[in-house]
Every structure is written in structure tokens, then in C-alpha cells.
Amino acid sequence: MEAVAALLLPLLLSALPGHGRAQAGSSLLDLTHGIGGLLPRLSRPANHSRIHYAVMFDAGSTGTRIHVYTFIQSDTDKLPILDNEMFQSIKPGLSAYVNSPEMAGHTVRMLLKVAKQTVPRVEWKRTPVILRATAGLRLLPKQRAHALLDQVQHVFDESPFLVPDDSVSIMDGTNEGVLAWITMNFLTGHLSPQSQKTVGILDLGGGSTQITFLPKLRKTIESVPSADYVARFDVFNSSFELYTYSYLGNGLMAARLGALGALGAKGLEWQVFKSSCLPKKFRDEWSFGGLTYQVSGDPEGLSGYKPCYLEVQKVVQGVIHQPHELQDTSAFYAFSYYFDRAVDAGLIDGERGGRLEVRDFKRRAKEICNKLTSSPPSGPFLCLDLTYITALLKDGFGFKETTVLQLTKKVRNVEASWALGAILDHLHNMKIHRGDETFPNPVTCDL
């Protein structure tokens, strides 16, 4: 995991080096500053005087997303109020262009059109534009990842928007989980002093997966494998000590590689990676992270849920730590690929989302996997993906089959992700919450 030089908002930060699995003895991520006075409300005040905009790019492993936020500066309240979010995404992710970095810049340039259409021209020069890359670029060699980011930086520099000094970087996985937790608890109203509960978050990306929640038992914190699993900060005059971790290589797409035995494989042009999780007669090319793999079912082998489960189980066993507690009374919000695959499987509505028990993923995985031959699914990887999600939740994190998860894509019409928390840091550093007449130079913040 990359070093954490600073984690967001005065909300978050005490920069600590060396947050990685290999450094079991490193210091705790000490998030010492409060954010209670900074977080906005999702409502337009009766009288408002100024509107500010901010642009955040989420460069994930399977796609790049742009969030254009509109904030209102109230006459009576000097704090910014979140009024609106414009969201759009494009596939594939930047890592797919590892052999043609200029295409990464083209992708960002295309999405910047959304910002130009949303933000009034007169506000462009005062609107910060920021990109944070996640697991897709973390998985690449540093030199290749930086070549992609250099292209993005060039596009930003030639754009009419305000470009902070740290406008383009790879975000640490710990930040990703903590910021998503802060965003979700803010949007669900659980960060107020009156709130007695918080919600946990489960984020399943293409390259990595995060779990973050507020433990109720001290033993949960005391029994972590290393200090990297703990993040502390103050908010609304309350102190929080979170259990949080980001597993690089355990996102849904990376897990496919692990289950297929293709992770780190050489000679991809002549190898065919077979799986009992795929229809027996299926054979096709599949690309991830700039590489193309030949994949197929196993015509002469077993197929179905049980042999598929054995394949995906090896991806999580001995890798994912099981927290001492996962309280049944604590709500967990699950998003990204948890949501997408639940929609694909017909478990929830694609607009409204819904509540599922962990065993609902297992039940549907069994139904689809055991009919691979007679009724192949419309998506050939659906059996593998649902089975992996089941194994990740049960054998990985240790959730009970009866644990209820809230599957969501948006909360109060805002995308469920870390992006809102990340942009709040820059708004704070630019001091617009103080009612300044102009934006001062931003404070450098290394995410």
C-alpha cells in the first residue's frame, strides 16, 4: 500500500509513512482533526449568495468517473452546503491504456466536457479539478502508472480549470475506505452528535475491496493483524476509531484472475485459462489491466457451484482478515460491484437498490452455477462473480449468512463512493468555507 502523506480534511490528517501489509509494526493512522463544522447539508438555503463548483475524477480499474459538485455558500452560514452532483463514467479504466498512455489523456479530456457543460464559464478558473487513481494503477509498475498520470496532468494543465499542485495522484487504499465511510455516514445522517449508530461500508472495486466500520468491542481493535487496520479521527466532538482495510488484488476483476490461475501468468498468447465457474462450451478473450486472457469453461471437468466455490475460496482464505466482531445490529452499506452484480442477478432493482442477506448471494449463485449447462447466464462470468462475492463475505470477512446488507448506488441522489469526502478536503484547503472573496492557493495534500 502506498505511503499516506496526508489523509483528508483537517478531517483527516496526520501523515504517516509506510501503510502496507508488510509493515505490521507501523504507527496507527492518526486522524486527529475534527470535521464537524465543515460537512455540508444536502438542502438549498432560502437565501444564498455564492455558488462554488468542484470536479473530482475517480480513476478506477474498470472505468473513469467524473463527479461535478455544486456547493452553496450561505449568507447566514459560512459553511458550504452540497446542492448537487453531476456524474458520468466511461469504460475502460486508465490502466487499460498502459501501452498507449495518450489514450488516458483522451479519456479524461472527453469527461472534462461534462464539467464544462455543468460549470458556468465564468467559474472555470476558480473550480478545482482533481483526479485520484485507485487499484487499477496501484497494480501497475510505478513507471507505467506515472506515464498514465503524466498524460492526465497534461490535460489538466491545458484545461481552463483551477489545477491544484497535487491534482493528479494515486490514492492509498486506506484513504479510499475511510473516505467512503465518512461520505456514507454523512449522507445517511449518522455523523451528527445526536446519532447513536453509524453504518459500515463494503466497497468492491475491480482491483481492490475495502471494509470499514466502527467497532463496538475493544477486542476488535486489539486483535487486528497490524496497526494498518485502524484509523482514528474526531468528528462532531466525537472520537472515532475505525476498523478499516483495503485488499489490493481482491477486487472482482482481480479475483477472476486469481480463480482462473491467471494472476501473474506469462505467455498469455498461447495459454487458455479454464474454470468450472464458466459454461462448459464458453471460450472467449477477456481483458483487464491492459492484458488480454484466453478463458474458457472446462469441457471435460466438473462445473457448478461446489467446484466453483473451491476455486474462488483460495482467493480469500488466508488473505482476508476476519474482524473479531461484525455486529448484527450495525448496518452495512455495500456498493460498486456488490450492487452491480446483485442487479445483474435479479436480486435488487437497478434504480432503488435494496436490502439483502448474505445468503441471498449464495442462493442465487447456486441457482446460476448449477444451470451453467442447461441455462447458461447472459453474462458468462456471473456464476464466478456471485460465488466470489459469497466467499468474500462468508469465508473472507466472516459475515453470518443472515447479516443484512443495504445495496445502494446513490444516497440522497449522490453517488456512493469516496469522491465526496475527497473533494471536501480541497474545498477546506481552499478556504471557501470561510467566506473568502477569492480562492487562495490550495494547500498541497497527498492522498
Side-chain angles (χ1 to χ4, degrees), residues 319-429:
V319 176
I320 307 295
H321 174 254
Q322 293 191 359
H324 178 71
E325 60 157 310
L326 286 176
Q327 290 286 330
D328 292 334
T329 55
S330 296
F332 269 84
Y333 276 72
F335 41 93
S336 300
Y337 277 119
Y338 289 114
F339 177 90
D340 295 340
R341 289 301 173 264
V343 171
D344 295 340
L347 291 170
I348 59 172
D349 181 82
E351 292 295 326
R352 297 187 301 271
R355 291 164 63 86
L356 295 177
E357 292 182 347
V358 171
R359 62 186 172 188
D360 291 327
F361 281 109
K362 178 181 178 180
R363 172 182 55 80
R364 193 70 179 113
K366 282 186 173 181
E367 292 172 354
I368 291 175
C369 293
N370 290 337
K371 295 180 180 178
L372 280 178
T373 302
S374 59
S375 303
S378 56
F381 287 97
L382 191 55
C383 164
L384 192 161
D385 291 348
L386 290 175
T387 304
Y388 174 68
I389 288 173
T390 302
L392 177 63
L393 293 172
K394 290 175 72 260
D395 294 336
F397 297 129
F399 283 103
K400 295 179 180 178
E401 289 198 350
T402 55
T403 299
V404 176
L405 305 177
Q406 177 68 48
L407 279 293
T408 189
K409 186 174 181 65
K410 290 189 175 185
V411 177
R412 300 176 74 178
N413 209 35
V414 176
E415 289 288 321
S417 77
W418 50 263
L420 176 59
I423 205 66
L424 287 173
D425 171 52
H426 285 269
L427 294 183
H428 170 79
N429 287 336

Side-chain angles (χ1 to χ4, degrees), residues 190-208:
H190 290 98
L191 286 182
S192 67
Q194 295 78 24
S195 180
Q196 299 299 312
K197 295 181 180 180
T198 59
V199 298
I201 66 102
L202 295 168
D203 189 354
L204 181 60
S208 66

Side-chain angles (χ1 to χ4, degrees), residues 44-80:
R44 184 184 292 270
N47 297 310
H48 63 276
S49 57
R50 297 167 59 208
I51 296 178
H52 300 287
Y53 302 88
V55 180
M56 172 62 73
F57 282 86
D58 170 1
S61 60
T62 58
T64 302
R65 305 112 194 169
I66 185 173
H67 305 256
V68 184
Y69 296 104
T70 303
F71 292 89
I72 296 174
Q73 188 74 42
S74 171
D75 288 331
T76 57
D77 184 355
K78 297 300 184 182
L79 306 178

Side-chain angles (χ1 to χ4, degrees), residues 51-57 65-72 80-87 112 114-116 118-120 123-124 126-131 156 161-162 164 419-428 430 432 439:
I51 296 178
H52 300 287
Y53 302 88
V55 180
M56 172 62 73
F57 282 86
R65 305 112 194 169
I66 185 173
H67 305 256
V68 184
Y69 296 104
T70 303
F71 292 89
I72 296 174
I81 297 167
L82 178 60
D83 182 63
N84 185 48
E85 176 197 52
M86 181 64 70
F87 172 81
L112 268 178
V114 176
K116 290 181 178 179
T118 305
V119 180
E123 296 291 333
W124 285 358
R126 300 203 310 164
T127 299
V129 59
I130 302 145
L131 180 140
F156 278 10
F161 295 101
L162 176 64
L420 176 59
I423 205 66
L424 287 173
D425 171 52
H426 285 269
L427 294 183
H428 170 79
M430 289 179 171
I432 69 167
F439 286 90

Side-chain angles (χ1 to χ4, degrees), residues 143-197:
Q143 186 175 0
R144 292 200 157 196
H146 288 155
L148 293 167
L149 295 182
D150 287 344
Q151 291 293 321
V152 175
Q153 186 69 62
H154 175 70
V155 172
F156 278 10
D157 289 341
E158 66 179 16
S159 80
F161 295 101
L162 176 64
V163 182
D165 292 338
D166 63 336
S167 57
V168 179
S169 67
I170 298 174
M171 185 168 66
D172 181 87
T174 299
N175 297 23
E176 197 172 345
V178 171
L179 290 176
W181 184 90
I182 289 171
T183 297
M184 293 301 294
N185 278 277
F186 162 62
L187 292 175
T188 55
H190 290 98
L191 286 182
S192 67
Q194 295 78 24
S195 180
Q196 299 299 312
K197 295 181 180 180

Side-chain angles (χ1 to χ4, degrees), residues 246-262:
S246 177
Y247 293 91
L248 184 61
N250 282 94
L252 194 65
M253 301 300 134
R256 286 183 185 178
L257 292 179
L260 288 163

